[in-house]
Amino acid sequence: MTRIVEVRGLRKTFDGRHQQVEALRGIDLATAEGEYLVLLGPSGCGKTTLLRTIAGLEQPTQGEVLIGGNVVNELPPRIRQVAMVFQSYALYPHKTVRANIVFPLKAQRMDRDAREKKARWAADLLGISHLLHRKPRELSGGERQRVALARAMVREPAVFLLDEPLSNLDAKLRASARDELKRFQQRIGTTTIYVTHDQAEAMGLGDRIAVMDAGRVRQLGHPREVYDDPADTFVATFIGSPPMNLVRRDGVLVGFRPEHLLPAEVVRERAVEIPFVVDRIEYLSGDRHVYGTVTTLGEATRVIARLPSTVATPLTAGETADFTVATDRLRFFAPETGDRTDAVPLAWSRS
Amino acid sequence: MTQAPTATRPSAAPATGRRRRLGDREGPLAWLFLLPAVVYVVALVGVPFVLAIGFAFSDVSAGDPSYDWAGLDAYRRAFDDPVFWQALRNTLVFTGVSMVLIVLFGKVLANILIADFRGKWLVRFLVLLPWTTPVALSTVSWLWLLDSIFSPIDWILRQVGLLEGNMYWLGRPTLATASVIAVHVWRLVPLAAVIMMAGLIAIPRDIDEAARVDGAGFWRRMFEVTIPLTMPLIAVAALFGAIFTFTDMAVVYVLTRGGPTNSTQVLASWAFVRGIEGGDVAQGAAIALFLFPLLLAAAVLILRAVRRMQVM
Ligand SMILES: Nc1ncnc2c1ncn2[C@@H]1O[C@H](COP(=O)(O)OP(=O)(O)OP(=O)(O)O)[C@@H](O)[C@H]1O
Ligand SMILES: [Mg+2]
């Protein structure tokens, strides 16, 4: 496996006016060739800082950045062979779309014909050929994003760095743009690091997801792994909506996803019986989100159950219903550190 | 307006009886605030300007202040004097050369000013000094710097071994011309730099960063990104430089009095020599107003172009 981009022990401290801000606190990460790696984390966790450090716009306080196996700490951005799409797209406002796209090629001193050909190819691929003569201010948000992408891809970089490129788009456009991005990346197969704080985007796009919090990578893995086997309570509650339910019981936190808390009659595997006091029911795009309290599993805790539309069990607010969670769906965490721990046997019953 | 009356009597109409305070009436207030400026401009710019136009077509002189219409006589007298043409040429040369140098150095200085380094506030302060000192005052110190015998510049050149004797900065036509231009540039560069700095600061940071990541080096970023994006402000800085050089007589008057033998005479100083010192008020006015229409047209054209540029 060739590691296109790798960071080792990366730390970044900003010297603020009043205090120091530790934006990155020791990050180790490596991408595989052609991989789509998504950095996911809450606002302010250091995603942009990490991306900018890889691009060379920010100098690390400690640690190394490697691109194609070489340490590039000392190299300025223009030699690093990375292409970045900024959150704001950062198109050159005085240049036409065509001039924007060929700008990196001009900087490479590519000759005019080759430049022109490249620009056409990129514009065709992204469906913006008819916009080449326009200025950025005459474009919609989605079109700007495509121009920014075209500008990034004409260089055939070693890696794409995308910083929340969809956050300026409305929800509908975002969904189609996400799809487009994924297809586009699969077509050209360039390694991509994609920053987002939107978990749906991360789940949908990523080959692997690095979940970050407070300058650290909390978990790195396939979307399913991150979802099904969260490394700690932060990942468990950050990913998934509604998030994983956590119930404290004799020095351990028991976690289960809302969609696994189901009426006893529909669970066929070995399962834990959990009487569930239903409080409130919401209908969301066909699913039923049931809010209520579980008391017998551990401390009385408010939890959420998500019932798919295929489960028709009648439920009424204020009543106690028989719910269960399949045993292999239970996850256990240490309450102090939040880290995963070994499974603790719970009473179970076969339904 | 308070809610109290309507709150106690919900059915009552909104309180209309209340008088509007002065602070609510924007029309009269605007005039009140504008008045000092209007008085100032009318008294110190408008009146003299109209007077000058009147004088230019009269035969008013220091000896005979009575006003008689004389048509273009004053202009004829001015045009017949070869010094007028020399002054015109000098004015254009000074203005043109100064403008180019002001923009050039101003641009360099602006780049230094926005750079982040220790002690930048001190540097910014020092840089602005030439602009904040009165022209006549700073020119006097230049007069001393360029003194024919005691010039410190000469002294330094002598110490370094580049010079024997004296340069006579203000005594030779070419050196005097260079000196005048140098002083103009020195005093207007800070203004131009600050104007252009405002433009540089307004460029979004990520556009410059995008250019870096796109592989552009310093010069490419400068010529393909920074300069096009700040073009309107560069044009404004150039316009200011030109107008201030063009209309200034203090530098020439203090430094050389137009000499040696009128080789640094400009229209403004020549108008002063003719109109005030020579007593031919009509001719002085005619000279002073000679390029006014041209200047006005140039300013309007440049400002129009700036407005149309609309880079962002
Ligand atoms: N130039 C800077 N100077 C000081 N502190 C900074 C600077 N840039 C970022 N920070 C701080 O570093 C931390 C990480 O910032 P960063 O921009 O990387 O967050 P992010 O994960 O991209 O957040 P978001 O999702 O909101 O974009 C924040 O606490 C931020 O305040
Ligand atoms: Mg960010």
Side-chain angles (χ1 to χ4, degrees), chain A residues 14-16 21-23 41-50 58 87 163-164 195 197, chain B residues 205:
Chain A
F14 289 106
D15 289 317
V21 183
E22 280 190 81
S43 190
C45 70
K47 308 178 296 287
T48 298
T49 308
L50 177 56
E58 216 77 74
Q87 186 167 350
D163 191 359
E164 309 202 23
V195 163
H197 60 246
Chain B
R205 196 174 71 146

Side-chain angles (χ1 to χ4, degrees), chain A residues 175-188:
Chain A
S176 65
R178 187 165 84 204
D179 184 44
E180 209 169 87
L181 261 182
K182 182 72 185 175
R183 272 186 305 163
F184 157 71
Q185 197 265 351
Q186 281 168 344
R187 236 163 111 181
I188 60 167

Side-chain angles (χ1 to χ4, degrees), chain A residues 52 55 57 77-78 82-84 86 88 90-95 103-104 106-107 109 137 151 155, chain B residues 205-218 220-221 224-225 228-229 309-312:
Chain A
R52 290 170 54 84
L57 295 168
R78 71 194 161 90
V82 300
M84 189 156 168
F86 291 73
S88 59
L91 299 177
Y92 309 117
H94 57 293
K95 290 181 184 291
F103 183 78
K106 265 167 94 181
R109 294 168 203 279
R137 77 179 117 85
R151 184 176 69 181
R155 301 176 50 201
Chain B
R205 196 174 71 146
D206 49 9
I207 288 191
D208 185 63
E209 288 177 343
R212 273 170 207 269
V213 176
D214 279 346
F218 177 81
R220 186 176 298 276
R221 290 206 308 277
E224 287 209 41
V225 179
L229 284 179
M309 256 184 254
Q310 219 187 43
V311 285
M312 290 292 183

Side-chain angles (χ1 to χ4, degrees), chain B residues 169-189:
Chain B
W169 290 100
L170 304 174
R172 303 185 199 170
T174 41
L175 278 184
T177 301
S179 300
V180 170
I181 291 177
V183 175
H184 274 307
V185 170
W186 171 82
R187 109 191 144 87
L188 290 171
V189 157

